[in-house]
Amino acid sequence: MRLLSFLLISLLIVGCKGKIEPVKSEHEKLADGVRYYFFLGDSTEVDVEVTDTIFISELDEMLGTIDENLNLIQMDIDTLGSIIDSTAYQNLEYEKHLYPESIDYKMAPKRLELATYRLKMAELQAKKLEFKLSKRLMLNLRRSQFNEIAGYQIKTSYFHNGEKLEFTLLTDADFRIID
């Protein structure tokens, strides 16, 4: 009786498992990932090639370089912020001693200098944001590592409206597209 119960339960479990999906190759996983990433149809032919393997040791070096660059750019931002503040205060003091008729003429070069500093500040802040986004991507790779591999750089191409499109993408170790 126990044997019969065991067999019935085993058959019930196997029968409830449902459809077994075939195991996909790495190339098929990459091609599917590209299709999902670009919202392509299943029938779109996608050519995928792994161009670089990113190892954990390389990733750690990249993260270290990014952290160092973030520190350096923050120092530049702090220094430039001080320069902007002192220049703005100097301009205000200088403007107080001018006749109202000559303010526009005499202040134009000083305002241009201050605007140049502010533009440089915006560039530095944009660069800092770029480094932060790169760090976010690298940390995502770090979390999804497999053995000594952190991810892959892939080159992909496909045709859309008769035009060949080529992209370089970054995947994690499980072949999920990161960026």
Side-chain angles (χ1 to χ4, degrees):
M1 187 65 171
R2 281 186 168 182
L3 182 60
L4 184 60
S5 297
F6 178 73
L7 286 173
L8 284 174
I9 291 173
S10 298
L11 286 173
L12 183 62
I13 290 173
V14 171
C16 291
K17 186 172 183 180
K19 209 175 186 181
I20 298 175
E21 298 206 12
V23 177
K24 293 183 179 182
S25 70
E26 294 171 358
H27 186 270
E28 290 173 326
K29 286 181 185 178
L30 285 172
D32 286 346
V34 169
R35 283 189 199 95
Y36 299 147
Y37 188 75
F38 291 115
F39 300 104
L40 302 173
D42 291 339
S43 61
T44 304
E45 283 294 320
V46 176
D47 184 36
V48 179
E49 174 188 356
V50 174
T51 56
D52 191 18
T53 301
I54 302 168
F55 293 98
I56 299 295
S57 57
E58 295 170 338
L59 183 64
D60 289 340
E61 287 177 29
M62 287 185 245
L63 282 167
T65 302
I66 289 171
D67 283 336
E68 184 178 320
N69 288 338
L70 279 170
N71 288 336
L72 291 172
I73 209 161
Q74 186 59 51
M75 286 191 283
D76 288 347
I77 287 172
D78 294 342
T79 303
L80 190 57
S82 296
I83 291 171
I84 288 171
D85 289 345
S86 66
T87 303
Y89 286 123
Q90 287 172 359
N91 288 354
L92 286 173
E93 282 299 315
Y94 181 71
E95 188 175 337
K96 286 180 185 177
H97 302 332
L98 296 176
Y99 291 109
E101 300 84 27
S102 65
I103 287 178
D104 289 338
Y105 174 71
K106 291 189 176 183
M107 287 302 296
K110 295 187 176 290
R111 289 179 181 155
L112 179 62
E113 177 186 22
L114 189 58
T116 304
Y117 287 147
R118 288 183 176 146
L119 178 62
K120 182 64 177 170
M121 176 66 85
E123 290 172 354
L124 287 173
Q125 289 172 336
K127 195 67 165 168
K128 180 180 176 182
L129 181 61
E130 193 177 309
F131 282 126
K132 283 184 171 184
L133 291 174
S134 294
K135 184 176 181 177
R136 181 187 62 83
L137 289 173
M138 297 301 157
L139 288 174
N140 194 359
L141 285 179
R142 189 73 166 113
R143 283 189 295 271
S144 66
Q145 72 188 37
F146 180 73
N147 289 334
E148 291 297 314
I149 297 175
Y152 303 95
Q153 178 181 355
I154 64 169
K155 182 179 177 184
T156 183
S157 62
Y158 61 91
F159 286 92
H160 181 69
N161 295 334
E163 184 179 346
K164 185 176 183 178
L165 301 173
E166 295 184 340
F167 297 97
T168 300
L169 301 170
L170 185 64
T171 71
D172 65 8
D174 293 326
F175 303 107
R176 289 184 303 251
I177 295 178
I178 302 295
D179 186 44

